[in-house]
Amino acid sequence: QVQLVESGGGLVQAGGSLRLSCAASGRTFSRTPMGWFRQALGKEQEFVAAISWSGDNTDYADSVKGRFTISRDNVKNTVYLQMNTLKPEDTAVYYCAARGGSYTSNDYYINPLHYDYWGQGTQVTISS
């Protein structure tokens, strides 16, 4: 029903910026809450950011608050993660996720168990 493809990862110096994109397809996309998660080497997956279907409600992990911005363009069927002031501890594989179904509320989810569709991930490496 929904397919997600991340892009935009790469290698960047500490203090730099990177913009990740998640291209989505499927009939439920325009009313689908979305999220970004990451998993660093040897660590558990962690929540990064979430956004409601309209884009009006967002939430962030404390570790990225003030540095990362999640946004979406429902016309282009794309969700973004703008990452600024990057730190070596941001190094991880970043995944986008979509909640199945169609929403009229501004709900969003920080628990990965609430997401039904996942992208393949994109590697982000921050050098110091």
Side-chain angles (χ1 to χ4, degrees):
Q1 289 288 114
V2 177
Q3 184 175 355
L4 308 175
V5 180
E6 302 99 330
S7 62
L11 175 65
V12 68
Q13 305 94 325
S17 297
L18 208 58
R19 186 176 180 86
L20 305 184
S21 298
C22 177
S25 61
R27 73 186 194 96
T28 65
F29 173 78
S30 64
R31 294 291 186 98
T32 301
M34 304 284 293
W36 286 96
F37 296 80
R38 68 186 183 187
Q39 186 165 20
L41 185 64
K43 299 181 66 176
E44 295 182 355
Q45 184 187 63
E46 65 174 338
F47 164 75
V48 176
I51 189 167
S52 63
W53 73 266
S54 68
D56 291 333
N57 276 356
T58 60
D59 200 10
Y60 300 90
D62 288 342
S63 60
V64 307
K65 195 170 299 182
R67 300 187 298 118
F68 290 12
T69 302
I70 187 171
S71 62
R72 66 192 298 162
D73 184 338
N74 287 342
V75 174
K76 300 188 68 173
N77 296 326
T78 303
V79 177
Y80 305 97
L81 185 68
Q82 178 66 48
M83 305 185 294
N84 298 326
T85 319
L86 284 161
K87 306 174 180 180
E89 51 263 45
D90 295 318
T91 295
V93 177
Y94 284 71
Y95 301 90
C96 67
R99 170 76 170 179
S102 183
Y103 284 70
T104 58
S105 71
N106 281 319
D107 290 346
Y108 61 87
Y109 304 93
I110 65 173
N111 189 330
L113 295 176
H114 290 156
Y115 289 93
D116 301 293
Y117 305 98
W118 293 83
Q120 83 287 351
T122 185
Q123 176 70 50
V124 171
T125 303
I126 313 303
S127 62
S128 59

